[in-house]
Amino acid sequence: MPPFEWSDIPIFLAVAETGSIAKAAKQLRISPATISRRLEAMEQAIAHKLFHRLPNRLELTPAGRSLLFSA
């Protein structure tokens, strides 16, 4: 995997746990926009989507599950 900001792992974990950018933002006390930007940067760094964006939640992709297992 290409390098990415390891400091973004807590953001990834919060979104994976809550299934929501808004809920993760509230939990981490940072803006939803920041979470969205950091997830996008992680996805670009590894050249894979981490989440399927569904109407009411985010769901891990196979790459997201692999990262979750590693994290």
Side-chain angles (χ1 to χ4, degrees), residues 21-37:
I21 288 175
K23 289 177 185 175
K26 188 173 184 177
Q27 178 181 320
L28 297 172
R29 298 181 181 160
I30 58 178
S31 76
T34 297
I35 289 182
S36 292
R37 279 193 309 271

Side-chain angles (χ1 to χ4, degrees), residues 2-43:
F4 58 87
E5 293 293 325
W6 285 100
S7 61
D8 288 337
I9 291 294
I11 291 172
F12 168 77
L13 291 174
V15 174
E17 178 184 304
T18 64
S20 164
I21 288 175
K23 289 177 185 175
K26 188 173 184 177
Q27 178 181 320
L28 297 172
R29 298 181 181 160
I30 58 178
S31 76
T34 297
I35 289 182
S36 292
R37 279 193 309 271
R38 298 315 315 147
L39 288 178
E40 184 177 329
M42 288 179 75
E43 290 175 334

